Amino acid sequence: MSRTVPTPAAPPAGPTARRESERERRHDIDLLRVVCTAAVVLVHASAEFIHAGHRTTGVVGDSAGRFAVPAFFAMAGWAALAGSPVRGEAQLLTRLGRILRPMAVWTALYLLWQFVAGPPLDDGAEEVLHALFGSVRAAYHLWYLYTYVPLLLLLGVTVLVVRRRVTPRRALLLLVAFAVAPAFAGDARTLTGLPLPEWEWSVSLSSLGYAVAGGALLAARRYGPRPLWLAGAAVALAALVLYQLTVRHPAAYGSVTVAALTFAVLGAGRGVRVPERARALLGRLSDASFGTYLVHLLWVMLLVRPVAEWLPRGFWAPVALAVTASAAVAAAFAVSVLWGRLGLRRWLG
């Protein structure tokens, strides 16, 4: 259970855009959030099939869901810059707390699960230290939040300084701390001789680009004919499958093929009209997407991994991947909706 899936996908820190009034709520964004959450589960389910020897099936499944992480960065950019920009420093820090609190709880739960279900990690105390620095094998899918938190901080501070013309002192100090932490950790490693982990709380230029450019696309008034975006998504998906089968797997999120697929999906999904009778259910699922992301790895390990390892190689693999991934998606959403109704979303996401 301790194996790490290379370059795993991860989704959403959804709480930043959940507070719109029903009148202003973007139902197309809700739909994108739910679809992307399901796509993340598909990516991790596909990884289990790849590890079990079903490479072609796993790569195709991974390609079909690889747009999800960049799309979540785009939705984060839309929320932070256009959909629900912060109005003050306290609100920004509250948003960070809504992410960090469940993140800490689930990191502890996954470490406990690893200890109980095994095989045990090399050093439990070292794994906890790695979790503080930005990498934890027991919950490898949380890597996304180690990027999302500083991204949200950067965008929020920018909004406060540029649009609100205020100086958020605590948030600025926190941003500076994130900026100098990698060099500080390296210097501490050199001076003390301790095997300190690399500092991974950081924002890449590609994630920032997805946040700004994708956010602009989602906020645009005109976005072109949907059939053209759908055709572009189909072509980009075929190119990505070919790229991952012949050149590199997993494809970097900043690669041309992933970017093409991501923006095509965003363009196709932007402005979709959701029937009024489906909006209440879609809203509940959207609100549950962050918790679904946090818990889904357990369902992938419980439902997908045993089937992938038992299944003989052959034409049954695509069907098995579709069925088990769908079951993991349904189970993860169901438990997240349940603890939301029990008032536990503050702690469990």
Side-chain angles (χ1 to χ4, degrees):
M1 187 181 125
S2 62
R3 53 186 173 170
T4 301
V5 179
T7 318
T16 56
R18 290 186 190 154
R19 307 305 177 196
E20 308 100 326
S21 69
E22 192 61 30
R23 181 176 59 85
E24 299 173 340
R25 187 157 186 161
R26 286 279 301 270
H27 301 292
D28 58 333
I29 300 292
D30 283 341
L31 180 61
L32 275 171
R33 188 178 291 120
V34 172
V35 169
C36 289
T37 303
V40 166
V41 182
L42 175 61
V43 168
H44 290 145
S46 299
E48 296 296 336
F49 274 73
I50 293 173
H51 280 300
H54 309 286
R55 183 174 185 271
T56 301
T57 295
V59 168
V60 171
D62 178 272
S63 300
R66 190 146 282 268
F67 68 89
V69 167
F72 274 121
F73 285 131
M75 284 184 277
W78 168 81
L81 300 174
S84 182
V86 292
R87 296 180 299 276
E89 182 180 38
Q91 185 184 27
L92 173 58
L93 296 178
T94 297
R95 288 184 176 183
L96 294 177
R98 289 191 197 130
I99 299 164
L100 292 170
R101 191 183 304 109
M103 180 183 180
V105 169
W106 279 102
T107 298
L109 290 175
Y110 277 107
L111 287 171
L112 179 61
W113 174 273
Q114 180 74 66
F115 178 78
V116 172
L121 298 170
D122 298 333
D123 188 332
E126 182 179 340
E127 187 73 356
V128 172
L129 182 63
H130 275 264
L132 295 175
F133 276 69
S135 174
V136 55
R137 286 171 293 169
Y140 60 80
H141 66 307
L142 297 184
W143 74 266
Y144 168 83
L145 296 181
Y146 293 105
T147 297
Y148 183 86
V149 169
L151 175 65
L152 180 62
L153 177 64
L154 175 62
L155 295 177
V157 167
T158 302
V159 166
L160 292 176
V161 172
V162 175
R163 291 183 59 177
R164 307 296 181 189
R165 304 297 177 87
V166 300
T167 304
R169 292 182 177 83
R170 289 174 295 169
L172 281 170
L173 286 174
L174 187 58
L175 184 61
V176 170
F178 274 114
V180 303
F184 181 81
D187 292 343
R189 213 166 24 246
T190 300
L191 292 172
T192 64
L194 297 174
L196 298 175
E198 297 288 337
W199 182 265
E200 301 292 345
W201 295 81
S202 61
V203 180
S204 66
L205 186 57
S206 64
S207 62
L208 184 60
Y210 281 123
V212 176
L217 176 59
L218 291 174
R221 292 179 178 270
R222 296 182 180 180
Y223 43 88
R226 202 177 315 282
L228 188 60
W229 287 109
L230 290 171
V235 173
L237 176 58
L240 179 57
V241 170
L242 181 63
Y243 175 84
Q244 292 210 106
L245 285 172
T246 60
V247 180
R248 177 184 174 184
H249 175 268
Y253 288 117
S255 69
V256 173
T257 49
V258 175
L261 178 59
T262 300
F263 284 107
V265 169
L266 292 174
R270 190 247 182 270
V272 168
R273 297 196 177 190
V274 178
E276 191 168 347
R277 63 181 179 276
R279 290 176 182 176
L281 174 61
L282 181 63
R284 286 195 294 271
L285 293 177
S286 178
D287 290 343
S289 62
F290 185 39
T292 300
Y293 155 62
L294 291 168
V295 73
H296 81 271
L297 193 60
L298 286 177
W299 292 109
V300 168
M301 291 186 289
L302 290 172
L303 299 178
V304 180
R305 180 176 294 177
V307 174
E309 293 178 343
W310 165 83
L311 192 72
R313 290 181 178 84
F315 63 91
W316 284 108
V319 176
L321 173 59
V323 171
T324 56
S326 298
V329 168
F333 266 111
V335 296
S336 181
V337 169
L338 176 61
W339 72 58
R341 293 196 171 193
L342 295 175
L344 299 175
R345 200 163 300 290
R346 173 183 174 86
W347 296 101
L348 298 179

